[in-house]
Amino acid sequence: RDALLAIPNGEARPVSELTKADFSHVCILQPYQNRVQADHGELDLARANAHLSAIEYAGDEGRWALILIADAAIELVVFNRSSKLDLMAVQQLQSTDAAALLPIGFVPMNSAAGNRAALSKIGFGERTYVVLGEVS
């Protein structure tokens, strides 16, 4: 949480700088989302979703999550939504003009390859949003 809060609005940081975990993919789980829906065809959705079922993860209005997927393990990091740290997914970016606030070369995605995965923060309205993507 602190690492995300430290990212200045309008900038991106590689996920690998924010966590010690070694992972092949990072995906977001929006509020109410209980399963991974990936942008990457090579992502093992069945294994990720089986893990979410095994831990009985249930998304709700007040939470969002990052799921870090590695060969050996899967880690889920859950965040409480707040005005200082909320999530904006690709679908929300497409329906607003908030995408113009993202750094140049940052491509928003709901699931990103681990070696290119990055998180950006933007201020939009009266909230600060985290956006997952890849840096090109």
Side-chain angles (χ1 to χ4, degrees):
R1 184 179 193 283
D2 292 339
L4 288 179
L5 289 171
I7 299 171
N9 285 358
E11 292 187 20
R13 293 287 186 273
V15 176
S16 60
E17 289 181 9
L18 304 173
T19 180
K20 295 178 183 175
D22 183 24
F23 49 87
S24 61
H25 287 85
V26 179
C27 300
I28 59 170
L29 293 173
Q30 301 175 52
Y32 294 114
Q33 185 179 349
N34 299 329
R35 300 291 169 259
V36 176
Q37 299 170 348
D39 299 317
H40 283 274
E42 71 270 12
L43 176 60
D44 186 354
L45 284 177
R47 189 168 73 85
N49 288 329
H51 175 77
L52 292 169
S53 292
I55 64 171
E56 298 180 356
Y57 178 75
D60 59 38
E61 176 64 26
R63 300 183 305 160
W64 61 276
L66 291 173
I67 184 166
L68 306 172
I69 303 165
D71 291 337
I74 296 176
E75 182 179 341
L76 184 69
V77 185
V78 179
F79 299 91
N80 291 323
R81 293 178 73 192
S82 71
S83 62
K84 293 180 182 178
L85 199 62
D86 204 349
L87 176 74
M88 187 172 284
V90 172
Q91 298 85 340
Q92 292 167 291
L93 282 166
Q94 292 170 344
S95 65
T96 67
D97 53 353
L101 301 172
L102 292 169
I104 294 171
F106 183 87
V107 179
M109 307 177 96
N110 292 327
S111 180
N115 61 342
R116 293 186 309 270
L119 293 169
S120 182
K121 273 186 16 193
I122 57 172
F124 187 75
E126 299 201 14
R127 296 183 85 78
T128 300
Y129 294 94
V130 173
V131 181
L132 174 68
E134 292 184 355
V135 178
S136 58

